[in-house]
Amino acid sequence: MARQDPKKDVVIVGLGWTGSILGMELSKEGVEILALERGEDRKTVPDFAYPNMIDELKYGIRYGTMQKPKNSTVTIRRTLDETALPYRHLGSFLPGDGVGGAGVHWNGHTWRPMENEFRLRSYVEENWGAEIIPEDMQIQDWGVTYEELEPHFDRFEWMAGISGQAGNVNGEMIEGGNPFEAPRSRGYPLPPLQQTADAEMFAEAARAMGLHPFPRPGANASEAYRNEYGMQLGPCNFCGFCERYGCINYSKGSPQTCVLDALKRKPNFQYKTNSEVLRVTLADDGKTATGVIYWDEEAGEEVFQPADIVILGAYSLHNVHLMLLSGIGQPYDPATGEGVTGRNYAYQMNGGTSMFFKDVDFNPFIGSGTVGMSIDDYAINQIDFGAEGFIGGSYITAGRANGQPIRGIALPSGTPGWGAEWKQGIGEWYGHSMSIGSHGSNMSYRDVYLDLDPTYTDKHGRPMMRMTFNWKDNDIRMTQFMKSKIEPVAESMNPDLMQSSYKGDGAMYDVRPYQTTHNVGGAPMGADPSTSAINRYLQSWDVHNVFVMGASAFPQNIQYNPTGAVGALAYWAAEAIRKDYMPNPRPLV
Amino acid sequence: MIKLLRILAALALIGVVVVLLLIFLPHHLTEPQEDLAADWTPEEGQGEYAMILGDCAGCHIGADGTPFAGGQPIDSPLGPIYASNITPDPEHGIGEFSLDDFRAVMYDGVDEEGHDLYPAMPYANYRKLSERDIRGLYHYFMEEVEPSSNEVTETSLMFPFNMRFGIRMWKWVALSDPGFEPPFGDEVENAEMLNRGAYLVEGPGHCGACHTPRNLIFAQKGFTAEDSEFLTGGVIDGWTAPDLRQEGTQPQDWDQVEMARFLATGRNAHAGVSGEMELVVQYSTQYWTENDLLATAAYLDEIGHDVARESDAEDDVPSLSEEETVTLLGDADPEMALGPRLYLDNCNACHFSDGRGAANVFPQLAGNATVTAPVPRGLVQTILEGAELPSTEAYPYKLRMPGFGWRLSDEEVAELATFVRNAWGNDAGAVTAADVAGIRSAIEDSPEGHGEAAD
């Protein structure tokens, strides 16, 4: 080993949302903190500066803000008997890169899971009995309740400057908000964004059918805002370049806009970029970590960075990879169902119906990552799982994220992808389409998991991580149920054309088309050390000075976008570390 | 002929005598303004706070960030003047200074060896400091600052400005009487607060050093509000330091809380700080107490003039009202003039068609002092290079506007600048492509010039 650096109290792996939050919160204790980020530094100006960021080819198609597979990727297979192959070209999911992480390129959807999603197994067993849970399904309770997390959801939403309309404040129902949401202690910090035409048409149709539309909450600021750290957002101008882009306008909640300049003022916080953590080092007895080893790109050498506390704040997949490489938690074995690290990987089940209206001008160039209207009438807490034959739910939604010219123009199926007929199709339909989507849960299963690949290694010579994932009947039934609910709403809007896209019987996972970057699980949290890798405070059961942030903690996927829960868990863990762990380091459970 | 030679010889002799007197006659130094006991010591923190009020840190910071190590050039019209090392290092700093030596620097611009200091050091304003603040500062620099052995480049201006005795002659006419006279009597409501504001603005804050116009010999035209030109706008680093007194200027238009917020955070509901004032916020005013900021705002408000300033620019461009501007931009007619079209393409995303931006984030352009300044350097430089707000405790975000110099030609910048100077009721002179070209090259030549944004 070439170099050993002076010890730090805390080392944080990755400087995205969770790394920034933990840095900010733990720095208040006066401890010396070092964050190690493997990518480049990124600031709104110059890195996201107008107009260069508004380049769909560079960022939307060629993934300018994403990790390069040559630097980091996974191998993927669908079943235990397939041979996994490296994910060489990004498609299905897009891990972010650099300071800010995926918090740079997200759309901004910020939800709270439903109360019963945190205790899903108990909820199912209490209401329908364990027998409705398919044999290979491994759903679990989180070990933490919504009630416990509520102050931390609130904290995250007010830090990230979320625009939205509350539906339930302390049990008091508020007209126009989501009537099915769990009670919140106060409303959102900013009012909802002004709606686009498609969202209003959907909401009107939904209302006419007795459903309950509400503005979807998100981190695109509807007004100028200043958060608890003094950080600021400017009002969103609906340029429609959110997902896959850094916001040009200081309008999207991100580590850059909401945390980092405040954090950089702290004299006890430092960060280094181009510093990829290779593994966590453990003491001889394996019960504590001694620090991390990282590759210092600038110096061209490996560095041992000793630390008393190690926070894994990388992307969910990389957190699990580091745990597997470092021997933190017993690796999960699908044959026996034993082991915890890599267990319960899950994804997201989405579908949608597109509609074409000859006589409606949607002005799709006016868009924002989260503008739109949603319904939760078919959410997890509204569905009779016993009667419907599946466990799960979706929110259903319409809104205009963007009208980008390459990927943003929907055409009726059958229209050629190039040539004169394509041009004609574009001329006829540009600005005349909209869609209603379902964004749904995905359960965890015995043979869906993460482990180290037996064949492929990464550029550092480490085994790559292998993902074994496929769609399951339960979730396909769920999405077909959503189709049956969405299509009548769409039909009631009298489109000239309509086409649906939902996973059907026998659907196999296809890594090529983009689906969602909501890779969750693999280091599930829980109350039982035999089925969870980390306890309710995101603390490793086995190595008590390692805390693992992020969606890798989800024991199965929620029906919502994960960032709200990721943020709340980060604040929840930060409080436990500050108030309980730091004064007396030990297993907290 | 002989008589003429005699007269000339006599004149030459008198000249030599005057010069010798200027060089060798001991300076008459200003006495302390208050009799304080020899063993008087400042309260804890008082000296440091006096340093903050005087913004000593901004100019005297070392190139490597060492506090008070000096060496940074201050661009004067005569050439760079290097700030001295004011740490207590006996050799390179001011460690050997007696209290009287120190007071002579602050009041009279004379160093311990009797040399006259260039007025880049604002002793013309510091002459109003109280003896308590002088003593506090002396204590702070001698006892609380770490010595630094940084050796500062000697200032060497071209002849005749390198003849320091000339400064002595200049001081006879350029300095006012020492000491601070509270201008508000008991009959004025809030007199105590207003007098505090007057002291801060006239004395340690040395606002007049930039914001008061200067005469032909570069002396400030007034040191108190009794002088009608005091704080009516000056020039610093080629930028207009805005008028603070006439009707319609920012401190007169803003309410006092917004003015105080601007000084504390570099931003408020209307504006973001830019130019040299950014350093003032960064090193000084963000650390002022709430009471001092409010006193400053109250005083500035109090000394406002009732008449609006007459634009001295040749007004060759018609001014558009807010409504006319919003309509023009909203219609987005492809045939529209280049200026508003460039605004839509480059500026509208943040500053919006109403030119109002967003509170504390995107500065308002309507009525913005940088936009409508008589000398357009600040506006043009901001368009070319962008601008960044300083990080302050309450508002830590270094919000940065990107530069557009890399994508806009001189002609385009001129059209754009002329448009914003005459939109939303703004009414200021046109900017020409030649102006822009001149500013571009001035930025590239300046020691801290960044040239065009590399992105």
Side-chain angles (χ1 to χ4, degrees):
Chain A
M1 189 170 309
R3 194 173 101 211
Q4 174 168 341
D5 278 357
K7 186 173 173 181
K8 292 281 181 180
D9 296 309
V10 180
V11 66
I12 296 174
V13 181
L15 193 55
W17 265 131
T18 62
S20 302
I21 291 170
L22 269 287
M24 199 70 199
E25 294 300 305
L26 300 186
S27 72
K28 294 173 184 170
E29 300 300 317
V31 292
E32 288 294 322
I33 301 171
L34 175 69
L36 296 169
E37 164 57 48
R38 65 175 165 182
E40 301 280 339
D41 208 348
R42 291 181 195 273
K43 293 178 182 151
T44 299
V45 178
D47 301 297
F48 319 145
Y50 177 83
N52 294 334
M53 179 50 60
I54 306 296
D55 183 338
E56 190 186 6
L57 186 61
K58 183 170 179 182
Y59 296 101
I61 305 293
R62 295 180 180 161
Y63 305 128
T65 56
M66 312 303 173
Q67 276 166 15
K68 304 284 173 279
K70 70 173 181 184
N71 292 328
S72 171
T73 191
V74 292
T75 66
I76 301 179
R77 61 178 181 171
R78 294 170 297 193
T79 59
L80 295 176
D81 50 19
E82 283 185 344
T83 300
L85 293 170
Y87 180 51
R88 293 179 191 273
H89 188 276
L90 298 183
S92 170
F93 55 91
L94 308 172
D97 191 29
V99 168
V104 166
H105 77 248
W106 70 320
N107 258 331
H109 294 284
T110 309
W111 297 85
R112 299 179 177 197
M114 302 194 126
E115 285 163 298
N116 46 24
E117 293 195 271
F118 289 104
R119 46 190 304 281
L120 188 62
R121 175 168 282 273
S122 300
Y123 173 69
V124 172
E125 287 180 358
E126 284 158 16
N127 288 280
W128 296 278
E131 61 276 14
I132 74 155
I133 301 175
E135 198 189 341
D136 65 339
M137 190 188 283
Q138 292 191 157
I139 56 174
Q140 296 172 194
D141 293 358
W142 293 44
V144 65
T145 65
Y146 172 80
E147 212 173 13
E148 289 173 307
L149 290 178
E150 200 288 328
H152 306 283
F153 278 110
D154 181 80
R155 194 81 193 280
F156 181 71
E157 288 165 359
W158 282 70
M159 185 271 287
I162 304 305
S163 303
Q165 172 62 57
N168 180 346
V169 175
N170 294 320
E172 189 189 328
M173 306 311 288
I174 295 171
E175 187 70 31
N178 180 2
F180 308 115
E181 72 176 1
R184 54 180 66 244
S185 52
R186 56 177 168 168
Y188 290 98
L190 291 172
L193 293 162
Q194 202 177 325
Q195 293 302 331
T196 47
D198 59 335
E200 286 183 344
M201 284 170 58
F202 163 69
E204 197 181 319
R207 242 178 249 119
M209 296 180 77
L211 304 171
H212 302 83
F214 59 92
R216 57 187 183 194
N220 312 114
S222 57
E223 294 173 2
Y225 183 66
R226 174 174 174 264
N227 72 11
E228 63 168 299
Y229 303 136
M231 295 295 288
Q232 296 172 267
L233 296 163
C236 171
N237 65 20
F238 293 80
C239 78
F241 284 79
C242 301
E243 192 171 50
R244 305 193 182 188
Y245 307 88
C247 179
I248 59 169
N249 221 54
Y250 299 100
S251 305
K252 182 164 71 179
S254 67
Q256 276 79 0
T257 51
C258 296
V259 188
L260 288 171
D261 271 9
L263 181 55
K264 289 176 195 173
R265 288 174 66 90
K266 304 276 183 186
N268 53 335
F269 173 84
Q270 271 86 43
Y271 71 106
K272 294 177 78 168
T273 54
N274 298 310
S275 299
E276 178 165 14
V277 173
L278 302 177
R279 65 183 181 277
V280 180
T281 52
L282 304 186
D284 290 342
D285 65 1
K287 291 188 187 319
T288 54
T290 54
V292 299
I293 287 171
Y294 71 95
W295 176 255
D296 180 335
E297 181 70 35
E298 202 178 313
E301 63 186 356
E302 281 191 13
V303 182
F304 173 49
Q305 175 59 62
D308 285 335
I309 298 177
V310 175
I311 308 285
L312 298 185
Y315 188 63
S316 63
L317 294 172
H318 308 309
N319 282 345
V320 179
H321 191 207
L322 281 172
M323 291 173 77
L324 289 167
L325 290 167
S326 311
I328 299 173
Q330 188 190 335
Y332 175 70
D333 179 356
T336 60
E338 287 173 5
V340 292
T341 304
R343 180 186 170 94
N344 282 21
Y345 170 74
Y347 201 34
Q348 197 95 63
M349 178 57 96
N350 299 339
T353 297
S354 296
M355 289 162 282
F356 296 83
F357 298 84
K358 279 182 184 149
D359 300 327
V360 182
D361 267 322
F362 287 103
N363 290 342
F365 42 83
I366 302 169
S368 181
T370 62
V371 68
M373 296 291 284
S374 298
I375 54 169
D376 253 345
D377 296 79
Y378 307 108
I380 276 188
N381 69 1
Q382 296 300 306
I383 295 174
D384 182 341
F385 296 155
E388 302 297 346
F390 65 83
I391 294 169
S394 292
Y395 74 84
I396 290 171
T397 192
R400 183 70 59 181
N402 72 77
Q404 291 162 25
I406 307 176
R407 296 171 306 129
I409 305 176
L411 291 171
S413 54
T415 309
W418 56 280
E421 282 180 68
W422 174 79
K423 283 185 185 169
Q424 193 190 341
I426 293 281
E428 202 170 332
W429 294 112
Y430 175 72
H432 295 293
S433 72
M434 64 166 281
S435 68
I436 304 175
S438 64
H439 187 282
S441 57
N442 180 223
M443 298 301 128
S444 47
Y445 299 91
R446 181 162 173 152
D447 60 352
V448 173
Y449 72 108
L450 305 169
D451 66 352
L452 292 177
D453 190 275
T455 309
Y456 293 95
T457 55
D458 69 9
K459 67 173 185 178
H460 300 291
R462 306 175 301 173
M464 280 169 47
M465 190 165 70
R466 176 170 65 178
M467 171 190 292
T468 305
F469 176 81
N470 210 358
W471 301 113
K472 300 286 184 175
D473 290 346
N474 172 79
D475 303 271
I476 290 168
R477 281 197 295 276
M478 185 277 292
T479 200
Q480 286 295 321
F481 173 87
M482 297 304 155
K483 180 182 184 206
S484 74
K485 299 300 176 189
I486 289 174
E487 286 185 337
V489 179
E491 275 160 16
S492 78
M493 294 163 71
N494 293 315
D496 296 299
L497 280 170
M498 190 175 118
Q499 59 203 32
S500 285
S501 172
Y502 299 83
K503 300 272 183 309
D505 285 345
M508 299 283 275
Y509 180 43
D510 181 348
V511 300
R512 294 168 301 171
Y514 182 70
Q515 288 152 74
T516 179
T517 308
H518 302 164
N519 313 88
V520 308
M525 64 190 297
D528 178 355
S530 70
T531 57
S532 58
I534 53 178
N535 65 27
R536 68 199 302 262
Y537 301 109
L538 309 189
Q539 180 185 38
S540 161
W541 284 111
D542 295 352
V543 185
H544 67 75
N545 60 344
V546 172
F547 291 81
V548 187
M549 304 297 117
S552 44
F554 296 8
Q556 56 274 335
N557 207 357
I558 53 178
Q559 68 166 35
Y560 300 105
N561 312 61
T563 307
V566 168
L569 286 174
Y571 274 109
W572 157 259
E575 186 178 85
I577 296 168
R578 288 177 67 190
K579 296 193 173 156
D580 203 358
Y581 185 76
M582 281 181 165
N584 180 14
R586 68 198 189 286
L588 294 175
V589 177
Chain B
M1 184 67 187
I2 289 173
K3 196 174 176 184
L4 180 64
L5 283 176
R6 275 188 185 156
I7 292 170
L8 284 176
L11 282 174
L13 187 65
I14 291 169
V16 169
V17 170
V18 167
V19 168
L20 289 174
L21 283 174
L22 279 169
I23 296 172
F24 295 109
L25 192 72
H27 287 83
H28 173 75
L29 298 177
T30 304
E31 297 289 311
Q33 299 296 305
E34 183 186 357
D35 274 333
L36 291 179
D39 62 352
W40 182 92
T41 51
E43 284 174 30
E44 199 183 324
Q46 187 205 327
E48 184 181 13
Y49 189 61
M51 179 280 294
I52 286 167
L53 293 179
D55 193 9
C56 312
C59 292
H60 289 279
I61 191 169
D64 61 355
T66 308
F68 311 113
Q72 301 275 61
I74 292 165
D75 271 338
S76 86
L78 314 174
I81 295 172
Y82 296 93
S84 49
N85 178 337
I86 56 168
T87 70
D89 185 88
E91 194 183 340
H92 302 99
I94 61 170
E96 301 283 326
F97 278 41
S98 68
L99 173 61
D100 288 340
D101 292 337
F102 183 76
R103 190 185 304 105
V105 169
M106 299 295 289
Y107 282 174
D108 300 309
V110 176
D111 74 12
E112 88 289 10
E113 292 172 349
H115 298 136
D116 293 282
L117 301 177
Y118 288 107
M121 166 74 179
Y123 48 82
N125 308 87
Y126 288 158
R127 286 168 77 71
K128 291 182 179 292
L129 284 180
S130 69
E131 178 64 8
R132 285 159 193 267
D133 278 346
I134 292 287
R135 295 275 290 262
L137 284 167
Y138 182 71
H139 183 272
Y140 174 72
F141 283 111
M142 293 302 161
E143 310 290 334
E144 297 176 38
V145 170
E146 288 289 315
S148 155
S149 58
N150 182 38
E151 201 166 339
V152 169
T153 314
E154 198 156 331
T155 300
S156 71
L157 304 184
M158 61 186 176
F159 181 82
F161 304 109
N162 57 348
M163 304 281 104
R164 291 210 177 203
F165 62 82
I167 303 171
R168 194 161 173 193
M169 217 155 48
W170 177 84
K171 284 195 256 184
W172 287 342
V173 284
L175 298 191
S176 66
D177 291 339
F180 171 73
E181 288 295 329
F184 300 98
D186 291 341
E187 73 285 358
V188 180
E189 202 188 333
N190 255 350
E192 194 185 334
M193 187 186 196
L194 291 170
N195 283 329
R196 176 67 180 167
Y199 174 71
L200 292 165
V201 168
E202 294 176 9
H206 63 284
C207 309
C210 296
H211 289 278
T212 299
R214 291 180 184 257
N215 61 22
L216 285 177
I217 62 158
F218 210 61
Q220 295 171 41
K221 292 180 176 177
F223 294 92
T224 73
E226 278 181 28
D227 302 302
S228 66
E229 296 200 67
F230 178 63
L231 300 184
T232 56
V235 173
I236 172 77
D237 220 10
W239 291 45
T240 296
D243 186 336
L244 305 178
R245 291 181 75 184
Q246 309 281 347
E247 191 180 286
T249 61
Q250 293 180 335
Q252 303 307 324
D253 263 11
W254 298 345
D255 73 36
Q256 294 174 14
V257 172
E258 286 296 327
M259 183 69 223
R261 190 196 305 272
F262 182 79
L263 295 170
T265 70
R267 62 205 86 183
N268 66 11
H270 312 289
V273 71
S274 59
E276 288 289 304
M277 189 67 192
E278 194 194 315
L279 298 176
V280 177
V281 172
Q282 186 179 341
Y283 291 106
S284 178
T285 52
Q286 70 158 312
Y287 303 110
W288 290 24
T289 63
E290 185 79 16
N291 282 345
D292 277 353
L293 291 169
L294 289 170
T296 299
Y299 170 70
L300 290 173
D301 198 359
E302 180 69 22
I303 65 170
H305 290 166
D306 293 338
V307 289
R309 187 186 184 89
E310 301 235 339
S311 171
D312 44 10
E314 212 172 289
D315 196 4
D316 43 4
V317 189
S319 167
L320 297 173
S321 69
E322 177 175 342
E323 198 187 336
E324 287 168 330
T325 313
V326 170
T327 305
L328 171 70
L329 294 172
D331 288 351
D333 183 340
E335 300 299 311
M336 74 202 303
L338 184 58
R341 205 189 81 205
L342 290 168
Y343 182 85
L344 274 181
D345 286 346
N346 296 285
C347 320
N348 194 75
C350 294
H351 296 284
F352 297 111
S353 60
D354 61 8
R356 288 178 188 272
N360 299 306
V361 183
F362 306 134
Q364 181 174 322
L365 303 182
N368 183 306
T370 304
V371 172
T372 59
V375 183
R377 163 93 185 242
L379 171 63
V380 171
Q381 188 166 343
T382 302
I383 294 172
L384 293 175
E385 288 198 298
E388 183 173 284
L389 294 181
S391 179
T392 56
E393 185 64 33
Y395 284 76
Y397 205 172
K398 292 184 192 171
L399 286 163
R400 182 164 181 83
M401 165 180 154
F404 292 84
W406 60 276
R407 72 189 298 249
L408 299 180
S409 68
D410 293 344
E411 290 74 18
E412 288 171 326
V413 173
E415 289 290 327
L416 175 58
T418 300
F419 169 72
V420 296
R421 281 163 71 80
N422 291 281
W424 313 286
N426 288 346
D427 189 8
V431 175
T432 66
D435 294 338
V436 178
I439 293 167
R440 247 192 233 270
S441 60
I443 295 169
E444 277 160 15
D445 293 345
S446 79
E448 53 298 359
H450 319 110
E452 295 193 354
D455 52 317

Coordinates of all heavy atoms in Angstrom, one line a residue, chain A residues 166-199:
Chain A
A166 N -50.5 19.5 0.2 CA -50.7 18.5 1.3 C -52.2 18.1 1.2 O -53.1 18.9 0.9 CB -50.4 19.1 2.6
G167 N -52.5 16.8 1.5 CA -53.8 16.3 1.6 C -54.3 16.0 3.0 O -55.5 15.9 3.3
N168 N -53.3 15.8 3.9 CA -53.6 15.3 5.2 C -52.6 15.9 6.2 O -51.5 15.4 6.3 CB -53.6 13.8 5.2 CG -53.9 13.2 6.6 OD1 -53.9 13.9 7.6 ND2 -54.2 11.9 6.7
V169 N -53.0 17.0 6.9 CA -52.0 17.6 7.8 C -52.6 17.2 9.2 O -53.6 17.7 9.6 CB -51.9 19.1 7.6 CG1 -51.0 19.7 8.8 CG2 -51.3 19.4 6.3
N170 N -51.8 16.4 9.9 CA -52.2 16.0 11.3 C -53.6 15.4 11.3 O -54.4 15.6 12.3 CB -52.1 17.1 12.3 CG -50.6 17.5 12.5 OD1 -49.7 16.7 12.5 ND2 -50.4 18.8 12.5
G171 N -54.0 14.7 10.3 CA -55.3 14.1 10.3 C -56.4 15.0 9.7 O -57.5 14.5 9.4
E172 N -56.1 16.2 9.5 CA -57.1 17.1 8.9 C -57.0 17.1 7.4 O -55.9 17.3 6.8 CB -56.8 18.6 9.4 CG -57.9 19.5 9.0 CD -57.6 21.0 9.3 OE1 -56.8 21.2 10.2 OE2 -58.0 21.9 8.5
M173 N -58.1 16.7 6.7 CA -58.0 16.5 5.3 C -58.1 17.9 4.6 O -58.9 18.7 4.9 CB -59.2 15.6 4.8 CG -59.2 14.3 5.5 SD -57.6 13.4 5.6 CE -57.5 12.9 3.9
I174 N -57.3 18.0 3.5 CA -57.2 19.3 2.8 C -57.6 19.1 1.4 O -57.1 18.3 0.7 CB -55.8 19.9 2.9 CG1 -55.5 20.2 4.4 CG2 -55.7 21.1 2.1 CD1 -54.1 20.6 4.7
E175 N -58.6 19.8 1.0 CA -59.1 19.8 -0.4 C -58.0 20.0 -1.4 O -57.2 20.9 -1.2 CB -60.2 20.9 -0.5 CG -61.0 20.9 -1.8 CD -62.0 19.7 -1.9 OE1 -62.4 19.2 -0.8 OE2 -62.2 19.2 -3.0
G176 N -58.0 19.2 -2.4 CA -57.0 19.4 -3.5 C -55.7 18.6 -3.3 O -54.9 18.5 -4.2
G177 N -55.5 18.1 -2.1 CA -54.3 17.3 -1.8 C -54.7 15.8 -1.9 O -55.8 15.4 -2.3
N178 N -53.7 14.9 -1.7 CA -53.9 13.5 -1.7 C -54.6 13.0 -0.5 O -54.1 13.0 0.6 CB -52.5 12.8 -1.8 CG -52.6 11.3 -2.0 OD1 -53.7 10.7 -2.0 ND2 -51.5 10.6 -2.0
P179 N -55.9 12.6 -0.7 CA -56.7 12.1 0.5 C -56.2 10.8 1.1 O -56.6 10.5 2.2 CB -58.1 12.0 -0.1 CG -57.9 11.7 -1.5 CD -56.7 12.4 -1.9
F180 N -55.4 10.1 0.3 CA -54.9 8.8 0.8 C -53.6 8.8 1.4 O -53.0 7.7 1.8 CB -55.0 7.8 -0.3 CG -56.3 7.8 -1.1 CD1 -56.4 8.2 -2.4 CD2 -57.5 7.4 -0.4 CE1 -57.6 8.2 -3.0 CE2 -58.7 7.4 -1.0 CZ -58.8 7.8 -2.3
E181 N -52.9 9.9 1.5 CA -51.6 10.0 2.1 C -51.6 9.9 3.6 O -52.6 10.1 4.2 CB -50.9 11.3 1.6 CG -51.4 12.5 2.3 CD -50.6 13.8 2.0 OE1 -49.6 13.7 1.2 OE2 -50.9 14.9 2.5
A182 N -50.5 9.5 4.1 CA -50.3 9.4 5.6 C -50.3 10.8 6.1 O -49.9 11.8 5.4 CB -49.1 8.7 5.9
P183 N -50.7 11.0 7.4 CA -50.7 12.4 7.9 C -49.3 13.0 8.0 O -48.4 12.3 8.4 CB -51.3 12.2 9.3 CG -51.3 10.7 9.6 CD -51.3 10.0 8.3
R184 N -49.2 14.2 7.6 CA -48.0 14.9 7.7 C -48.1 16.0 8.7 O -49.2 16.5 9.0 CB -47.6 15.5 6.3 CG -48.6 16.3 5.7 CD -48.2 16.9 4.3 NE -48.1 15.8 3.3 CZ -46.9 15.6 2.7 NH1 -45.8 16.3 3.0 NH2 -46.8 14.6 1.8
S185 N -47.0 16.4 9.3 CA -47.1 17.4 10.4 C -47.3 18.8 9.9 O -47.7 19.7 10.6 CB -45.8 17.4 11.2 OG -44.6 17.5 10.4
R186 N -47.0 19.1 8.6 CA -47.3 20.4 8.0 C -47.3 20.2 6.5 O -46.9 19.1 6.0 CB -46.3 21.5 8.4 CG -44.9 21.2 8.2 CD -43.9 22.3 8.6 NE -42.6 21.8 8.5 CZ -41.5 22.6 8.6 NH1 -41.6 23.9 8.7 NH2 -40.3 22.1 8.6
G187 N -47.6 21.2 5.8 CA -47.7 21.2 4.3 C -46.3 21.2 3.7 O -45.3 21.2 4.4
Y188 N -46.3 21.3 2.4 CA -45.0 21.5 1.7 C -44.5 22.9 1.8 O -45.3 23.8 2.0 CB -45.2 21.1 0.2 CG -45.5 19.7 -0.1 CD1 -46.8 19.2 -0.2 CD2 -44.5 18.7 -0.1 CE1 -47.1 17.9 -0.4 CE2 -44.7 17.4 -0.3 CZ -46.0 17.0 -0.5 OH -46.3 15.6 -0.7
P189 N -43.2 23.0 1.7 CA -42.7 24.4 1.8 C -43.1 25.3 0.6 O -43.1 26.5 0.8 CB -41.1 24.2 1.8 CG -40.9 22.9 1.2 CD -42.1 22.0 1.5
L190 N -43.4 24.8 -0.5 CA -43.7 25.6 -1.7 C -45.1 25.1 -2.3 O -45.4 23.9 -2.2 CB -42.7 25.6 -2.8 CG -41.3 26.2 -2.4 CD1 -40.3 25.9 -3.5 CD2 -41.5 27.7 -2.2
P191 N -45.9 26.0 -2.8 CA -47.1 25.6 -3.5 C -46.8 24.8 -4.7 O -45.7 24.8 -5.2 CB -47.8 27.0 -3.8 CG -46.7 28.0 -3.9 CD -45.6 27.5 -2.9
P192 N -47.8 24.1 -5.2 CA -47.6 23.2 -6.4 C -47.2 24.1 -7.6 O -47.6 25.3 -7.7 CB -48.9 22.5 -6.6 CG -49.9 23.1 -5.7 CD -49.2 23.9 -4.7
L193 N -46.5 23.5 -8.5 CA -46.2 24.1 -9.8 C -47.5 24.4 -10.6 O -48.5 23.7 -10.4 CB -45.4 23.2 -10.7 CG -43.9 23.0 -10.2 CD1 -43.4 21.8 -10.9 CD2 -43.0 24.2 -10.4
Q194 N -47.5 25.4 -11.4 CA -48.7 25.6 -12.3 C -48.8 24.4 -13.2 O -47.8 24.0 -13.8 CB -48.4 26.9 -13.1 CG -49.6 27.6 -13.6 CD -49.2 28.9 -14.3 OE1 -48.3 29.6 -13.9 NE2 -49.9 29.2 -15.4
Q195 N -50.0 23.9 -13.5 CA -50.1 22.7 -14.2 C -50.1 22.9 -15.7 O -50.4 24.0 -16.2 CB -51.4 22.0 -13.8 CG -51.4 21.5 -12.4 CD -50.3 20.5 -12.1 OE1 -49.9 19.8 -13.0 NE2 -49.9 20.5 -10.9
T196 N -49.7 21.8 -16.4 CA -49.7 21.8 -17.9 C -51.0 21.3 -18.4 O -51.8 20.7 -17.6 CB -48.5 21.0 -18.4 OG1 -48.5 19.7 -17.7 CG2 -47.2 21.7 -18.2
A197 N -51.3 21.5 -19.7 CA -52.6 21.2 -20.2 C -53.0 19.7 -20.1 O -54.1 19.4 -19.7 CB -52.7 21.6 -21.7
D198 N -52.0 18.8 -20.3 CA -52.3 17.4 -20.2 C -52.7 17.0 -18.8 O -53.6 16.2 -18.6 CB -51.1 16.6 -20.7 CG -49.8 16.9 -19.9 OD1 -49.7 18.0 -19.3 OD2 -48.9 16.0 -19.9
A199 N -52.0 17.6 -17.8 CA -52.3 17.2 -16.4 C -53.7 17.7 -16.1 O -54.4 17.0 -15.4 CB -51.3 17.9 -15.5

